[in-house]
Amino acid sequence: MASITCNIIPNTRYQIYGQLSPLYHNPKSSFINNIDGRKTVLARYSNVQEPSSTGAVGLAVKQNDSFPGKAEADVVVIGSGIGGLCCAGLLARYQQDVIVLESHDIPGGAAHSFEIKGYKFDSGPSLFSGFQSRGLQANPLAQVLDALGERIPCATYDSWMVYVPEGEFLSRIGPTEFFKDLEKHASPNAVLEWQKLLDAVLPLSAAAMALPPLAIRGDLGVLSTAAVRYTPSLLKSFLQMGPQGALGATKLLRPFSEIVNSLGLKDPFIRNWVDLLSFLLAGVKSNGILSAEMIYMFAEWYKPGCCLEYPLHGSAAVVDALVRGLQKFGGQLSLRSHVDKVVVENGRATGVKLRSGQFIRAKKAVVSNASMWDTLKLLPRDVLPKSYVDGVNATPQCDSFMHLHLGFDSEGIRDDLGIHHIVVNDWNRGVDADQNVVLISVPSVLSPDLAPPGKHVLHAYLPGTEPYELWKGLDRRSAEYKNLKSKRSELGYVAGSGTCTWSRV
């Protein structure tokens, strides 16, 4: 059985674009208003800090080392990742004067795109669903876009290729299709256990959707955003589910592994598959993800008529839509505006100071879309509670992402190539082991404008499993760094009777 590379792009000439680079995964953003320990709030946005690209977005944004015009706003947002843009857009939508300051020369954070010689590459997320959903139970990002009056045209599909030790198969979402895969590649017991899992979690989806991921937080603020605001819809869902379902719904804010264990699921393939789904969704195994998030995903992926979506023109279309929404309601975005520190006066964050020395006043609040660790560096130490500082410093960071971007000839490539390919080399090592899981996206299959005529773009990455210590302190221009890039980009995939290597050429 050939490797993922041989199957996807046989006998092609590669053009290597972008960087194969280890990157920190920063899983927190911070809202800073009063920072005396009484009103500090943590939001649950994810962001990956990437080097600036040479690409550009076709939107009218300011690109200055200093912010031009009136250096004052109700709210100053640090960083233009998805979380920062959503926050800023909604604030602008509800009549708040907002300035977003982005250090890089292109917005989007982990979701930004870059272009080289007609090849347009995503730098981060490529697996999407729920863009077209509307209403209280809609995808949180769809809710934000709806509030901003923006829509994103998408191509739809319902499957991805899976390469696991048991074999290769096209995995389809929906209520029945996966059972066929289990019958062929797993065991009769796996079929029974998967049905048992669906029977247990799908009835809970009403409660999970009544408590959307947008409201689930890891701090005491959950009492205001979830318990208070969503109590009526939760109670209604509990009544609909009956006593047994309502009792199960109490596990929504517990790790999903507890539900799996309580059902007595022991089939190795089922447990591995659940871990893989958890990892694809949140970068952690089932013992590290909230049940509400997983159940929400199950309801989206395993219901009749469901589909996956890819935004036409790439993930940049998502960023562009959020920037348009921000600007539509008077918000401002300034690129190449690096925030050097948050200024605190009398226990309040009153603004920020740019690297250029310019001060921008925030009349109401400063929001940081940087990681909690980077945000901590922006704040004066003497104004923060020691417990907060110790908590941030004690919070472990996940390992790095390693990305590979390719442009290649489409001649001779099969028509049913598909956009997504997921490789797991060894279940026994765990899906979070280094160089064990590889995610590969070929988005030009669904959005041909991402590559020149007759070409494709490919984005392959190790999802938060690359040990940063291997790269720490290396000069990117050094031979040592280049040699390590070449070595770490060679991954073997072994399945069935053959062995082959996916490698940088």
Side-chain angles (χ1 to χ4, degrees), residues 35 41 49 163 313 349:
I35 53 174
V41 181
Q49 294 291 354
Y163 306 78
H313 318 304

PDB file of all heavy atoms in Angstrom, residues 35 41 49 163 313 349:
ATOM      1  N   ILE A  35      -7.671  45.371  36.258  1.00  0.00           N
ATOM      2  CA  ILE A  35      -6.759  44.234  36.383  1.00  0.00           C
ATOM      3  C   ILE A  35      -6.221  44.142  37.808  1.00  0.00           C
ATOM      4  O   ILE A  35      -5.075  43.813  38.046  1.00  0.00           O
ATOM      5  CB  ILE A  35      -5.596  44.336  35.381  1.00  0.00           C
ATOM      6  CG1 ILE A  35      -4.887  45.696  35.496  1.00  0.00           C
ATOM      7  CG2 ILE A  35      -6.071  44.137  33.972  1.00  0.00           C
ATOM      8  CD1 ILE A  35      -3.651  45.783  34.634  1.00  0.00           C
ATOM      9  N   VAL A  41     -10.930  38.664  32.999  1.00  0.00           N
ATOM     10  CA  VAL A  41     -11.717  37.636  32.330  1.00  0.00           C
ATOM     11  C   VAL A  41     -10.876  36.979  31.260  1.00  0.00           C
ATOM     12  O   VAL A  41     -10.116  37.638  30.565  1.00  0.00           O
ATOM     13  CB  VAL A  41     -12.977  38.258  31.675  1.00  0.00           C
ATOM     14  CG1 VAL A  41     -13.804  37.182  31.013  1.00  0.00           C
ATOM     15  CG2 VAL A  41     -13.809  38.967  32.738  1.00  0.00           C
ATOM     16  N   GLN A  49       0.725  32.250  16.768  1.00  0.00           N
ATOM     17  CA  GLN A  49       1.505  33.380  16.327  1.00  0.00           C
ATOM     18  C   GLN A  49       2.441  32.936  15.213  1.00  0.00           C
ATOM     19  O   GLN A  49       3.271  32.063  15.395  1.00  0.00           O
ATOM     20  CB  GLN A  49       2.326  33.949  17.492  1.00  0.00           C
ATOM     21  CG  GLN A  49       1.450  34.557  18.579  1.00  0.00           C
ATOM     22  CD  GLN A  49       0.777  35.828  18.108  1.00  0.00           C
ATOM     23  OE1 GLN A  49       1.042  36.315  17.020  1.00  0.00           O
ATOM     24  NE2 GLN A  49      -0.112  36.355  18.912  1.00  0.00           N
ATOM     25  N   TYR A 163      -6.051   7.554   6.547  1.00  0.00           N
ATOM     26  CA  TYR A 163      -4.969   6.574   6.420  1.00  0.00           C
ATOM     27  C   TYR A 163      -4.558   6.178   7.833  1.00  0.00           C
ATOM     28  O   TYR A 163      -3.912   6.943   8.547  1.00  0.00           O
ATOM     29  CB  TYR A 163      -3.780   7.164   5.661  1.00  0.00           C
ATOM     30  CG  TYR A 163      -4.131   7.744   4.315  1.00  0.00           C
ATOM     31  CD1 TYR A 163      -4.727   9.006   4.207  1.00  0.00           C
ATOM     32  CD2 TYR A 163      -3.867   7.048   3.137  1.00  0.00           C
ATOM     33  CE1 TYR A 163      -5.057   9.547   2.979  1.00  0.00           C
ATOM     34  CE2 TYR A 163      -4.192   7.582   1.899  1.00  0.00           C
ATOM     35  CZ  TYR A 163      -4.793   8.831   1.831  1.00  0.00           C
ATOM     36  OH  TYR A 163      -5.114   9.370   0.610  1.00  0.00           O
ATOM     37  N   HIS A 313     -12.225  30.879  -1.989  1.00  0.00           N
ATOM     38  CA  HIS A 313     -11.096  31.811  -1.891  1.00  0.00           C
ATOM     39  C   HIS A 313     -10.275  31.601  -0.626  1.00  0.00           C
ATOM     40  O   HIS A 313      -9.406  32.415  -0.303  1.00  0.00           O
ATOM     41  CB  HIS A 313     -11.543  33.273  -1.988  1.00  0.00           C
ATOM     42  CG  HIS A 313     -12.589  33.530  -3.039  1.00  0.00           C
ATOM     43  ND1 HIS A 313     -12.407  33.185  -4.369  1.00  0.00           N
ATOM     44  CD2 HIS A 313     -13.821  34.066  -2.957  1.00  0.00           C
ATOM     45  CE1 HIS A 313     -13.489  33.499  -5.060  1.00  0.00           C
ATOM     46  NE2 HIS A 313     -14.367  34.030  -4.227  1.00  0.00           N
ATOM     47  N   ALA A 349      -6.579  49.439  32.846  1.00  0.00           N
ATOM     48  CA  ALA A 349      -5.869  49.491  31.569  1.00  0.00           C
ATOM     49  C   ALA A 349      -6.450  50.669  30.791  1.00  0.00           C
ATOM     50  O   ALA A 349      -7.606  50.641  30.369  1.00  0.00           O
ATOM     51  CB  ALA A 349      -6.065  48.189  30.803  1.00  0.00           C
TER      52      ALA A 349
END
